[in-house]
Amino acid sequence: EDQVTQSPEALRLQEGESSSLNCSYTVSGLRGLFWYRQDPGKGPEFLFTLYSAGEEKEKERLKATLTKKESFLHITAPKPEDSATYLCAVQASNTGKLIFGQGTTLQVKP
Amino acid sequence: NAGVTQTPKFRVLKTGQSMTLLCAQDMNHEYMYWYRQDPGMGLRLIHYSVGEGTTAKGEVPDGYNVSRLKKQNFLLGLESAAPSQTSVYFCASSMTSGPYTQYFGPGTRLTVL
């Protein structure tokens, strides 16, 4: 069964304190792994797509990496405006459907 | 370029009432989706469409119907609302070929009393 598990559920950081969010997955043929950011009361906002193990993508203070079993979202020197829920999703090549994890809620304190 | 828009943003229904949620996209995407998001459950696919005039069931389709009469619009209907359908509903759209990224609307918060 296709499954996505994110950890931790919640993370509190001080401004400038770097950390990583984890997304573990099992899927029968990976078409792509997606990271989204969701602010309270809003829809998920697309961040990255990763397609194969070893791939990395960066955007400002965020860097996403991918292995055959998991993905990490590294946050370097976070700022309070990085506070949000980060969602991970995998797309199976056989169904094409997105399977979402529960999300990690990040709070960055000034 | 508005992307994906949803109406209404909020709605309160009584048990047994019906309503339709409207999703519109201006990105010329073929694929459109309806999800619901509940605390602790994550985003779950209700129905989806791979093109005008076609629809298919997702993970949690019971109690919902959909229609895709125009390429840019995807409607989600609740014929007889139940308290279990209290949720936040998101519409998304994507292209038919890579990178298959789904772009989401702002959501509709529905409460069924």
Side-chain angles (χ1 to χ4, degrees), chain B residues 72-95:
Chain B
Q72 64 268 33
N73 295 338
F74 195 27
L75 305 179
L76 177 71
L78 286 73
E79 291 186 347
S80 180
S84 60
Q85 293 177 305
T86 293
S87 186
V88 182
Y89 292 86
F90 291 101
C91 176
S93 69
S94 70
M95 296 188 294

Side-chain angles (χ1 to χ4, degrees), chain B residues 2-68:
Chain B
V4 179
T5 58
Q6 294 182 232
T7 53
K9 292 185 179 180
F10 302 94
R11 186 72 186 267
V12 178
L13 291 178
K14 294 182 179 179
T15 298
Q17 287 185 321
S18 64
M19 77 163 295
T20 301
L21 307 183
L22 171 63
C23 175
Q25 53 94 6
D26 61 2
M27 296 177 283
N28 201 34
H29 285 169
E30 285 291 337
Y31 292 174
M32 295 187 75
Y33 314 82
W34 276 108
Y35 291 88
R36 60 178 290 173
Q37 188 176 40
D38 303 290
M41 301 294 291
L43 280 158
R44 292 181 292 168
L45 182 65
I46 304 171
H47 286 282
Y48 63 100
S49 168
V50 298
E52 184 178 321
T54 69
T55 62
K57 294 180 180 180
E59 181 185 358
V60 288
D62 294 342
Y64 305 96
N65 56 76
V66 289
S67 64
R68 183 100 181 267

Side-chain angles (χ1 to χ4, degrees), chain A residues 18-72:
Chain A
S18 301
S19 188
S20 297
L21 281 56
N22 177 263
C23 172
S24 298
Y25 65 90
T26 55
V27 66
S28 51
L30 180 69
R31 177 179 282 177
L33 184 141
F34 302 82
W35 282 99
Y36 288 86
R37 169 190 171 129
Q38 186 173 24
D39 292 301
K42 303 213 172 161
E45 175 188 349
F46 171 70
L47 291 174
F48 304 108
T49 307
L50 302 168
Y51 295 103
S52 57
E55 189 174 0
E56 300 182 352
K57 288 193 176 174
E58 289 188 65
K59 180 180 180 180
E60 296 182 354
R61 294 176 293 281
L62 301 177
K63 179 180 178 180
T65 62
L66 180 64
T67 71
K68 288 186 177 181
K69 294 184 178 181
E70 57 191 351
S71 176
F72 291 94

